[in-house]
Amino acid sequence: MARIAHLPDRAVLGISGADRVSFLQGLVSNDMTAVAPGHAVWTAFLSAQGKWLADFFVFADPEGVRLLVDCDAAQADMLRQRLSRYRLRADVDISETGYAVHAAWGEDVTPPEGYPAAPDPRLPQAGWRFLLGHPMAALSADEVEYDHLRLSLGLPDGARDCESGKTLLLEANFDQLNGISWTKGCYMGQELTARTRYRGLVRRHLLPVTSHHDLPAPGTPIVSGDTTVGEMRSSRDKVGMAMIRNEHINDTGLNVDGHALHVHVPEWFTLPAKAE
């Protein structure tokens, strides 16, 4: 049975104009030419220094006149303002759409007709995302249930898991979750992103964790013995995400806030090879 939840903490911006694809292509980590009806792209917007500022999904408008940006509602104004700085003479307009974002997962998911919908491009297990004109009246799940699914799969959730101006994309596994194109050409922040890949400079990773106790607030240190080896990020009850140094991912004695902590390495995750 399909589970469908409205995600009230998401907003949707529309990017219209003849230059909308080339405009966004030069600013984000993934390939905007791959966006098509039924195929969304997950991507990140970086600082000039190559650090995470925002991430979002990009859908094609069924009418073929806009790109639709499914983003964190708390970041929508910031994202609109920052993107607008780069318009220059490009034929581009950025506006709010009023779409309501929904996630659907499980068996027999049926995408709605006439609205933007696509499989979640990060993992098949994450299901689908729908952009509807208003929240669905009959829902079989809520945002809490979806958050548990996200955490169990090890999927980052924007500013809850990434630090603005600090987090590298490869630390948050964008490379392993289809959030980076290595062939698209230049974009803002590309140099550092490529360098961290080719030189093996990533020393920590964002991974799902569990405890027998409710997990503490983001930023709470994670220790192994007397050594701090990471810190908490987002969580819900006893399931969460944590940024852990690579050499401690498999430690059996991790502790957070006085309680044992267990790292769950997802099937899709692979530690990068060290640069020679």
Side-chain angles (χ1 to χ4, degrees):
M1 177 181 175
R3 309 289 290 169
I4 303 175
H6 172 227
L7 306 182
D9 59 349
R10 306 293 292 181
V12 181
L13 301 176
I15 302 180
S16 58
D19 298 328
R20 62 188 182 277
V21 175
S22 58
F23 165 73
L24 206 55
Q25 182 79 326
L27 293 175
V28 299
S29 64
N30 219 333
D31 188 356
M32 293 299 98
T33 66
V35 178
H39 183 80
V41 168
W42 184 54
T43 191
F45 176 61
L46 307 178
S47 68
Q49 294 74 35
K51 305 296 180 64
W52 179 93
L53 294 176
D55 62 78
F56 42 84
F57 300 86
V58 183
F59 291 76
D61 190 330
E63 284 78 32
V65 296
R66 293 185 297 181
L67 295 175
L68 298 170
V69 174
D70 163 7
C71 63
D72 183 340
Q75 289 194 307
D77 288 342
M78 175 278 290
L79 192 57
R80 181 179 178 181
Q81 292 174 13
R82 284 182 178 262
L83 291 176
S84 295
R85 295 176 189 173
Y86 297 96
R87 283 187 302 175
L88 302 177
R89 296 181 181 179
D91 180 5
V92 167
D93 181 70
I94 306 171
S95 60
E96 296 190 17
T97 67
Y99 273 120
V101 179
H102 295 70
W105 65 97
E107 298 181 1
D108 302 321
V109 173
T110 303
E113 294 184 4
Y115 288 97
D120 191 310
R122 298 171 296 179
L123 286 176
Q125 300 94 311
W128 284 66
R129 295 180 82 89
F130 307 152
L131 309 184
L132 304 180
H134 53 78
M136 291 180 64
L139 295 168
S140 54
D142 59 22
E143 67 272 22
V144 174
E145 188 172 346
Y146 174 74
D147 204 32
H148 276 287
L149 172 70
R150 174 190 71 82
L151 291 165
S152 70
L153 294 174
L155 301 178
D157 184 24
R160 296 177 66 197
D161 293 309
C162 300
E163 294 180 284
S164 182
K166 295 182 179 180
T167 299
L168 303 175
L169 290 193
L170 274 66
E171 291 177 336
N173 304 316
F174 277 71
D175 55 327
Q176 301 190 57
L177 292 169
N178 304 311
I180 301 173
S181 169
W182 301 109
T183 60
K184 61 171 279 187
C186 295
Y187 59 90
M188 190 166 65
Q190 179 202 21
E191 182 179 354
L192 179 63
T193 303
R195 191 163 67 242
T196 55
R197 179 195 189 196
Y198 294 116
R199 295 186 182 178
L201 299 176
V202 184
R203 298 183 175 89
R204 58 181 192 163
H205 281 87
L206 185 68
L207 292 170
V209 294
T210 61
S211 175
H212 293 302
H213 299 264
D214 286 353
L215 289 165
T220 303
I222 297 167
V223 299
S224 180
D226 296 326
T227 304
T228 298
V229 301
E231 63 179 30
M232 285 300 307
R233 294 297 167 85
S234 68
S235 66
R236 176 85 59 176
D237 304 321
K238 298 175 177 63
V239 183
M241 298 287 284
M243 192 68 80
I244 304 285
R245 292 187 64 85
N246 294 347
E247 63 269 28
H248 295 281
I249 286 173
N250 295 314
D251 284 8
T252 58
L254 296 180
N255 189 286
V256 64
D257 204 26
H259 301 293
L261 186 75
H262 308 279
V263 177
H264 296 269
V265 179
E267 291 183 0
W268 54 260
F269 177 80
T270 303
L271 269 177
K274 293 183 179 180
E276 297 181 358

